[in-house]
Amino acid sequence: MSRIIIGVAGSKTWENKAKIKTFLFKLRDKTTDEIVIVGMGDKQGADSYVKKYALELGYVYQEMNPPHTPKNLYSMMSEAYHNRPYQDKNFFQRNLIYCQYIHKCVIFDDTNLQDKKLINLVKQLTKAKKIAVIITT
């Protein structure tokens, strides 16, 4: 059995909890491989629901939260990566590392790719030649 690392991210304004829960529930039936869900660690919107339902459904869950935030129980980066001063570039740095780590990505977007985080994420996924699926409301 191998391990598949799937990044699941989304906009801060995403409110369709059922769509995220249904996706994660159905994902288990698609493979016998171990699935690791990697969220982006934002406290609101899609990212908060990804964390909630991934843990509820028993997935291995990791988080790639930005460098200016404190390390938490699910943070995959070392202590040295965290607690840096806030800068806009922290989000872009996080996206770059995130895209290098994951195998595939699912993005929940209700902004028609107007969210800066998601625009940069898609750009980094394209550069890294990773498969990305965008789910809209």
Side-chain angles (χ1 to χ4, degrees), residues 89-135:
K89 74 177 186 173
N90 289 352
F91 295 101
F92 303 114
Q93 178 188 21
R94 183 249 330 246
N95 288 355
L96 177 65
I97 297 167
Y98 184 82
C99 292
Q100 292 169 346
Y101 182 74
I102 63 173
H103 297 155
K104 298 171 179 16
C105 190
V106 177
I107 299 169
F108 290 91
D109 179 33
D110 61 354
T111 68
N112 293 319
L113 277 181
Q114 299 301 309
D115 182 313
K116 287 182 183 179
K117 173 184 90 173
L118 299 182
I119 293 168
N120 181 261
L121 180 60
V122 169
K123 181 179 173 183
Q124 294 297 338
L125 287 164
T126 303
K127 278 185 184 178
K129 297 183 175 145
K130 302 289 174 105
I131 295 172
V133 175
I134 299 174
I135 297 174

Short mmCIF file of all heavy atoms in Angstrom, two decimals, residues 89-135:
data_model
loop_
_atom_site.label_atom_id
_atom_site.label_comp_id
_atom_site.label_asym_id
_atom_site.label_seq_id
_atom_site.Cartn_x
_atom_site.Cartn_y
_atom_site.Cartn_z
N LYS A 89 4.62 38.07 1.61
CA LYS A 89 5.33 37.00 0.92
C LYS A 89 5.27 35.67 1.67
O LYS A 89 5.53 34.62 1.08
CB LYS A 89 6.78 37.40 0.65
CG LYS A 89 7.68 37.38 1.86
CD LYS A 89 9.11 37.71 1.49
CE LYS A 89 10.02 37.54 2.69
NZ LYS A 89 11.40 37.68 2.35
N ASN A 90 4.90 35.69 2.96
CA ASN A 90 4.78 34.45 3.71
C ASN A 90 3.80 33.49 3.05
O ASN A 90 4.02 32.28 3.03
CB ASN A 90 4.32 34.72 5.15
CG ASN A 90 5.39 35.38 5.99
OD1 ASN A 90 6.53 35.51 5.58
ND2 ASN A 90 5.01 35.81 7.17
N PHE A 91 2.71 34.03 2.53
CA PHE A 91 1.68 33.19 1.90
C PHE A 91 2.22 32.55 0.62
O PHE A 91 1.94 31.40 0.33
CB PHE A 91 0.43 34.01 1.61
CG PHE A 91 -0.25 34.49 2.86
CD1 PHE A 91 -0.08 35.80 3.29
CD2 PHE A 91 -1.01 33.63 3.63
CE1 PHE A 91 -0.69 36.25 4.45
CE2 PHE A 91 -1.62 34.07 4.80
CZ PHE A 91 -1.46 35.38 5.21
N PHE A 92 2.98 33.30 -0.14
CA PHE A 92 3.52 32.78 -1.39
C PHE A 92 4.60 31.74 -1.12
O PHE A 92 4.70 30.73 -1.82
CB PHE A 92 4.05 33.94 -2.25
CG PHE A 92 2.99 34.97 -2.53
CD1 PHE A 92 3.09 36.24 -2.02
CD2 PHE A 92 1.86 34.64 -3.27
CE1 PHE A 92 2.09 37.19 -2.25
CE2 PHE A 92 0.86 35.57 -3.50
CZ PHE A 92 0.97 36.84 -2.99
N GLN A 93 5.39 31.97 -0.07
CA GLN A 93 6.39 30.98 0.33
C GLN A 93 5.71 29.69 0.77
O GLN A 93 6.13 28.60 0.40
CB GLN A 93 7.25 31.55 1.48
CG GLN A 93 8.28 30.56 1.98
CD GLN A 93 8.98 31.05 3.24
OE1 GLN A 93 8.47 31.91 3.96
NE2 GLN A 93 10.14 30.50 3.51
N ARG A 94 4.65 29.83 1.55
CA ARG A 94 3.90 28.66 2.00
C ARG A 94 3.36 27.89 0.80
O ARG A 94 3.44 26.68 0.72
CB ARG A 94 2.76 29.11 2.91
CG ARG A 94 1.93 28.01 3.51
CD ARG A 94 0.50 27.83 3.08
NE ARG A 94 -0.27 28.93 2.65
CZ ARG A 94 -1.34 29.40 3.29
NH1 ARG A 94 -1.72 28.89 4.43
NH2 ARG A 94 -2.04 30.37 2.77
N ASN A 95 2.79 28.61 -0.18
CA ASN A 95 2.22 27.95 -1.36
C ASN A 95 3.27 27.18 -2.14
O ASN A 95 3.01 26.09 -2.64
CB ASN A 95 1.54 28.98 -2.27
CG ASN A 95 0.25 29.50 -1.68
OD1 ASN A 95 -0.21 29.05 -0.63
ND2 ASN A 95 -0.35 30.46 -2.35
N LEU A 96 4.44 27.74 -2.26
CA LEU A 96 5.53 27.10 -2.99
C LEU A 96 5.91 25.76 -2.33
O LEU A 96 6.00 24.72 -2.99
CB LEU A 96 6.75 28.03 -3.06
CG LEU A 96 7.99 27.45 -3.74
CD1 LEU A 96 7.73 27.20 -5.21
CD2 LEU A 96 9.17 28.40 -3.57
N ILE A 97 6.11 25.78 -1.03
CA ILE A 97 6.48 24.56 -0.29
C ILE A 97 5.34 23.55 -0.36
O ILE A 97 5.55 22.35 -0.56
CB ILE A 97 6.84 24.90 1.17
CG1 ILE A 97 8.07 25.80 1.21
CG2 ILE A 97 7.08 23.63 1.98
CD1 ILE A 97 8.33 26.44 2.56
N TYR A 98 4.11 24.03 -0.20
CA TYR A 98 2.91 23.19 -0.25
C TYR A 98 2.84 22.43 -1.57
O TYR A 98 2.64 21.22 -1.59
CB TYR A 98 1.70 24.11 -0.07
CG TYR A 98 0.35 23.46 0.00
CD1 TYR A 98 -0.11 22.91 1.19
CD2 TYR A 98 -0.50 23.44 -1.10
CE1 TYR A 98 -1.38 22.36 1.29
CE2 TYR A 98 -1.77 22.89 -1.02
CZ TYR A 98 -2.19 22.35 0.18
OH TYR A 98 -3.45 21.81 0.26
N CYS A 99 3.06 23.14 -2.66
CA CYS A 99 2.95 22.53 -4.00
C CYS A 99 4.07 21.53 -4.26
O CYS A 99 3.87 20.57 -5.01
CB CYS A 99 2.95 23.61 -5.08
SG CYS A 99 1.46 24.61 -5.03
N GLN A 100 5.20 21.72 -3.66
CA GLN A 100 6.29 20.76 -3.81
C GLN A 100 6.03 19.49 -3.01
O GLN A 100 6.47 18.41 -3.39
CB GLN A 100 7.62 21.39 -3.37
CG GLN A 100 8.08 22.49 -4.29
CD GLN A 100 9.25 23.29 -3.72
OE1 GLN A 100 9.55 23.21 -2.53
NE2 GLN A 100 9.88 24.07 -4.56
N TYR A 101 5.27 19.59 -1.93
CA TYR A 101 5.05 18.48 -1.02
C TYR A 101 3.91 17.56 -1.47
O TYR A 101 4.02 16.34 -1.39
CB TYR A 101 4.77 19.02 0.39
CG TYR A 101 4.57 17.96 1.42
CD1 TYR A 101 5.65 17.22 1.91
CD2 TYR A 101 3.31 17.68 1.94
CE1 TYR A 101 5.49 16.23 2.87
CE2 TYR A 101 3.13 16.70 2.90
CZ TYR A 101 4.21 15.98 3.35
OH TYR A 101 4.03 15.01 4.30
N ILE A 102 2.82 18.13 -1.93
CA ILE A 102 1.63 17.33 -2.24
C ILE A 102 1.78 16.63 -3.60
O ILE A 102 2.59 17.01 -4.43
CB ILE A 102 0.36 18.20 -2.22
CG1 ILE A 102 0.42 19.28 -3.29
CG2 ILE A 102 0.12 18.78 -0.83
CD1 ILE A 102 -0.85 20.07 -3.47
N HIS A 103 0.95 15.59 -3.80
CA HIS A 103 0.93 14.89 -5.09
C HIS A 103 -0.15 15.46 -6.01
O HIS A 103 0.06 15.59 -7.21
CB HIS A 103 0.65 13.40 -4.88
CG HIS A 103 1.70 12.71 -4.08
ND1 HIS A 103 1.47 11.57 -3.36
CD2 HIS A 103 3.02 13.00 -3.88
CE1 HIS A 103 2.57 11.17 -2.76
NE2 HIS A 103 3.53 12.03 -3.05
N LYS A 104 -1.29 15.77 -5.44
CA LYS A 104 -2.43 16.31 -6.19
C LYS A 104 -3.12 17.34 -5.31
O LYS A 104 -2.92 17.34 -4.11
CB LYS A 104 -3.43 15.20 -6.55
CG LYS A 104 -2.85 14.10 -7.44
CD LYS A 104 -3.83 12.96 -7.55
CE LYS A 104 -3.47 11.82 -8.38
NZ LYS A 104 -2.24 11.48 -8.86
N CYS A 105 -3.98 18.17 -5.92
CA CYS A 105 -4.64 19.21 -5.13
C CYS A 105 -6.10 19.38 -5.54
O CYS A 105 -6.42 19.33 -6.73
CB CYS A 105 -3.90 20.54 -5.30
SG CYS A 105 -4.47 21.81 -4.15
N VAL A 106 -6.94 19.58 -4.55
CA VAL A 106 -8.35 19.91 -4.77
C VAL A 106 -8.58 21.28 -4.15
O VAL A 106 -8.22 21.51 -3.00
CB VAL A 106 -9.28 18.85 -4.15
CG1 VAL A 106 -10.73 19.25 -4.32
CG2 VAL A 106 -9.01 17.49 -4.75
N ILE A 107 -9.18 22.17 -4.93
CA ILE A 107 -9.41 23.55 -4.47
C ILE A 107 -10.92 23.83 -4.48
O ILE A 107 -11.58 23.64 -5.51
CB ILE A 107 -8.69 24.55 -5.39
CG1 ILE A 107 -7.18 24.29 -5.37
CG2 ILE A 107 -9.02 25.99 -4.99
CD1 ILE A 107 -6.41 25.05 -6.42
N PHE A 108 -11.43 24.27 -3.35
CA PHE A 108 -12.83 24.67 -3.24
C PHE A 108 -12.88 26.19 -3.38
O PHE A 108 -12.38 26.90 -2.51
CB PHE A 108 -13.42 24.22 -1.89
CG PHE A 108 -13.59 22.73 -1.81
CD1 PHE A 108 -12.59 21.92 -1.30
CD2 PHE A 108 -14.76 22.13 -2.26
CE1 PHE A 108 -12.73 20.55 -1.23
CE2 PHE A 108 -14.91 20.75 -2.20
CZ PHE A 108 -13.90 19.96 -1.69
N ASP A 109 -13.49 26.65 -4.47
CA ASP A 109 -13.44 28.08 -4.77
C ASP A 109 -14.83 28.65 -5.08
O ASP A 109 -15.50 28.16 -5.98
CB ASP A 109 -12.51 28.32 -5.96
CG ASP A 109 -12.41 29.78 -6.34
OD1 ASP A 109 -12.50 30.64 -5.44
OD2 ASP A 109 -12.26 30.07 -7.53
N ASP A 110 -15.21 29.66 -4.35
CA ASP A 110 -16.46 30.37 -4.63
C ASP A 110 -16.20 31.80 -5.10
O ASP A 110 -17.10 32.63 -5.11
CB ASP A 110 -17.39 30.36 -3.41
CG ASP A 110 -16.77 31.06 -2.21
OD1 ASP A 110 -15.59 31.45 -2.27
OD2 ASP A 110 -17.48 31.20 -1.20
N THR A 111 -14.95 32.09 -5.49
CA THR A 111 -14.59 33.46 -5.88
C THR A 111 -14.26 33.58 -7.38
O THR A 111 -13.80 34.64 -7.81
CB THR A 111 -13.35 33.94 -5.09
OG1 THR A 111 -12.21 33.19 -5.51
CG2 THR A 111 -13.56 33.82 -3.60
N ASN A 112 -14.43 32.51 -8.14
CA ASN A 112 -14.04 32.50 -9.56
C ASN A 112 -12.56 32.85 -9.73
O ASN A 112 -12.19 33.64 -10.58
CB ASN A 112 -14.92 33.43 -10.40
CG ASN A 112 -16.34 32.94 -10.46
OD1 ASN A 112 -16.57 31.74 -10.61
ND2 ASN A 112 -17.28 33.85 -10.32
N LEU A 113 -11.74 32.29 -8.86
CA LEU A 113 -10.29 32.52 -8.83
C LEU A 113 -9.94 34.00 -8.73
O LEU A 113 -9.07 34.49 -9.42
CB LEU A 113 -9.60 31.88 -10.03
CG LEU A 113 -9.29 30.39 -9.88
CD1 LEU A 113 -8.58 29.86 -11.11
CD2 LEU A 113 -8.48 30.09 -8.64
N GLN A 114 -10.61 34.70 -7.83
CA GLN A 114 -10.29 36.09 -7.53
C GLN A 114 -9.52 36.23 -6.22
O GLN A 114 -9.03 37.30 -5.90
CB GLN A 114 -11.58 36.94 -7.47
CG GLN A 114 -12.36 36.94 -8.76
CD GLN A 114 -11.56 37.48 -9.92
OE1 GLN A 114 -10.97 38.55 -9.85
NE2 GLN A 114 -11.50 36.72 -11.00
N ASP A 115 -9.42 35.15 -5.47
CA ASP A 115 -8.70 35.12 -4.20
C ASP A 115 -7.20 35.04 -4.50
O ASP A 115 -6.75 34.12 -5.19
CB ASP A 115 -9.19 33.91 -3.42
CG ASP A 115 -8.56 33.75 -2.04
OD1 ASP A 115 -7.33 33.88 -1.94
OD2 ASP A 115 -9.30 33.49 -1.09
N LYS A 116 -6.41 35.96 -3.96
CA LYS A 116 -4.96 35.99 -4.24
C LYS A 116 -4.26 34.70 -3.84
O LYS A 116 -3.35 34.24 -4.52
CB LYS A 116 -4.30 37.18 -3.52
CG LYS A 116 -4.62 38.51 -4.13
CD LYS A 116 -3.89 39.62 -3.37
CE LYS A 116 -4.27 40.98 -3.93
NZ LYS A 116 -3.60 42.06 -3.20
N LYS A 117 -4.67 34.12 -2.72
CA LYS A 117 -4.06 32.87 -2.27
C LYS A 117 -4.27 31.78 -3.31
O LYS A 117 -3.34 31.05 -3.67
CB LYS A 117 -4.67 32.43 -0.94
CG LYS A 117 -4.20 31.04 -0.48
CD LYS A 117 -4.89 30.59 0.79
CE LYS A 117 -6.14 29.82 0.48
NZ LYS A 117 -6.76 29.21 1.66
N LEU A 118 -5.50 31.69 -3.83
CA LEU A 118 -5.82 30.64 -4.78
C LEU A 118 -5.18 30.90 -6.15
O LEU A 118 -4.75 29.95 -6.82
CB LEU A 118 -7.33 30.48 -4.91
CG LEU A 118 -8.06 30.08 -3.63
CD1 LEU A 118 -9.54 29.91 -3.89
CD2 LEU A 118 -7.46 28.84 -3.02
N ILE A 119 -5.11 32.16 -6.55
CA ILE A 119 -4.45 32.49 -7.82
C ILE A 119 -3.00 32.02 -7.78
O ILE A 119 -2.51 31.36 -8.69
CB ILE A 119 -4.52 34.00 -8.12
CG1 ILE A 119 -5.97 34.42 -8.38
CG2 ILE A 119 -3.64 34.38 -9.30
CD1 ILE A 119 -6.18 35.93 -8.40
N ASN A 120 -2.31 32.36 -6.68
CA ASN A 120 -0.91 31.96 -6.55
C ASN A 120 -0.78 30.45 -6.41
O ASN A 120 0.15 29.85 -6.95
CB ASN A 120 -0.26 32.67 -5.35
CG ASN A 120 1.19 32.29 -5.21
OD1 ASN A 120 1.54 31.43 -4.40
ND2 ASN A 120 2.05 32.90 -6.02
N LEU A 121 -1.70 29.83 -5.70
CA LEU A 121 -1.66 28.38 -5.53
C LEU A 121 -1.75 27.67 -6.88
O LEU A 121 -0.97 26.77 -7.17
CB LEU A 121 -2.77 27.92 -4.59
CG LEU A 121 -2.87 26.43 -4.32
CD1 LEU A 121 -1.59 25.90 -3.69
CD2 LEU A 121 -4.07 26.13 -3.45
N VAL A 122 -2.69 28.09 -7.71
CA VAL A 122 -2.85 27.48 -9.04
C VAL A 122 -1.60 27.71 -9.88
O VAL A 122 -1.13 26.80 -10.58
CB VAL A 122 -4.11 28.02 -9.74
CG1 VAL A 122 -4.16 27.61 -11.20
CG2 VAL A 122 -5.37 27.55 -9.01
N LYS A 123 -1.03 28.89 -9.79
CA LYS A 123 0.21 29.20 -10.52
C LYS A 123 1.34 28.27 -10.08
O LYS A 123 2.06 27.71 -10.92
CB LYS A 123 0.59 30.66 -10.27
CG LYS A 123 1.83 31.13 -10.98
CD LYS A 123 2.09 32.60 -10.66
CE LYS A 123 3.42 33.06 -11.21
NZ LYS A 123 3.71 34.45 -10.83
N GLN A 124 1.50 28.09 -8.77
CA GLN A 124 2.56 27.22 -8.25
C GLN A 124 2.31 25.75 -8.60
O GLN A 124 3.25 25.01 -8.89
CB GLN A 124 2.69 27.38 -6.73
CG GLN A 124 3.15 28.73 -6.27
CD GLN A 124 4.56 29.07 -6.74
OE1 GLN A 124 5.35 28.22 -7.07
NE2 GLN A 124 4.85 30.36 -6.80
N LEU A 125 1.04 25.32 -8.58
CA LEU A 125 0.71 23.95 -8.96
C LEU A 125 1.05 23.69 -10.43
O LEU A 125 1.56 22.64 -10.78
CB LEU A 125 -0.77 23.67 -8.71
CG LEU A 125 -1.19 23.52 -7.25
CD1 LEU A 125 -2.69 23.62 -7.11
CD2 LEU A 125 -0.67 22.20 -6.68
N THR A 126 0.76 24.68 -11.26
CA THR A 126 1.07 24.57 -12.69
C THR A 126 2.58 24.46 -12.90
O THR A 126 3.05 23.61 -13.66
CB THR A 126 0.49 25.78 -13.46
OG1 THR A 126 -0.92 25.84 -13.21
CG2 THR A 126 0.74 25.66 -14.95
N LYS A 127 3.33 25.32 -12.22
CA LYS A 127 4.80 25.26 -12.32
C LYS A 127 5.35 23.91 -11.88
O LYS A 127 6.29 23.39 -12.46
CB LYS A 127 5.44 26.35 -11.46
CG LYS A 127 5.50 27.70 -12.08
CD LYS A 127 6.28 28.63 -11.15
CE LYS A 127 6.32 30.04 -11.67
NZ LYS A 127 7.04 30.93 -10.73
N ALA A 128 4.75 23.37 -10.83
CA ALA A 128 5.22 22.09 -10.28
C ALA A 128 4.66 20.89 -11.05
O ALA A 128 4.96 19.74 -10.72
CB ALA A 128 4.84 21.99 -8.80
N LYS A 129 3.82 21.16 -12.04
CA LYS A 129 3.20 20.11 -12.87
C LYS A 129 2.39 19.13 -12.03
O LYS A 129 2.47 17.91 -12.20
CB LYS A 129 4.26 19.40 -13.70
CG LYS A 129 4.94 20.33 -14.68
CD LYS A 129 5.92 19.61 -15.54
CE LYS A 129 6.42 20.63 -16.56
NZ LYS A 129 7.76 20.51 -16.95
N LYS A 130 1.62 19.70 -11.11
CA LYS A 130 0.76 18.88 -10.25
C LYS A 130 -0.68 18.97 -10.76
O LYS A 130 -1.10 20.00 -11.28
CB LYS A 130 0.80 19.39 -8.80
CG LYS A 130 2.19 19.40 -8.18
CD LYS A 130 2.69 18.01 -7.90
CE LYS A 130 4.12 18.01 -7.42
NZ LYS A 130 4.31 17.79 -6.03
N ILE A 131 -1.41 17.91 -10.57
CA ILE A 131 -2.81 17.87 -10.97
C ILE A 131 -3.64 18.65 -9.95
O ILE A 131 -3.50 18.45 -8.75
CB ILE A 131 -3.32 16.42 -11.04
CG1 ILE A 131 -2.57 15.67 -12.15
CG2 ILE A 131 -4.82 16.37 -11.25
CD1 ILE A 131 -2.85 14.19 -12.20
N ALA A 132 -4.48 19.54 -10.46
CA ALA A 132 -5.36 20.33 -9.59
C ALA A 132 -6.79 20.27 -10.12
O ALA A 132 -7.01 20.35 -11.33
CB ALA A 132 -4.90 21.77 -9.53
N VAL A 133 -7.71 20.08 -9.22
CA VAL A 133 -9.14 20.08 -9.55
C VAL A 133 -9.76 21.23 -8.76
O VAL A 133 -9.55 21.34 -7.56
CB VAL A 133 -9.80 18.76 -9.16
CG1 VAL A 133 -11.30 18.81 -9.40
CG2 VAL A 133 -9.17 17.60 -9.91
N ILE A 134 -10.52 22.07 -9.46
CA ILE A 134 -11.19 23.20 -8.79
C ILE A 134 -12.68 22.90 -8.72
O ILE A 134 -13.31 22.64 -9.75
CB ILE A 134 -10.94 24.51 -9.54
CG1 ILE A 134 -9.44 24.82 -9.57
CG2 ILE A 134 -11.71 25.66 -8.88
CD1 ILE A 134 -9.04 26.02 -10.40
N ILE A 135 -13.20 22.91 -7.52
CA ILE A 135 -14.63 22.65 -7.28
C ILE A 135 -15.26 23.99 -6.91
O ILE A 135 -14.78 24.68 -6.02
CB ILE A 135 -14.82 21.62 -6.17
CG1 ILE A 135 -14.20 20.29 -6.58
CG2 ILE A 135 -16.31 21.46 -5.83
CD1 ILE A 135 -14.20 19.22 -5.51
#
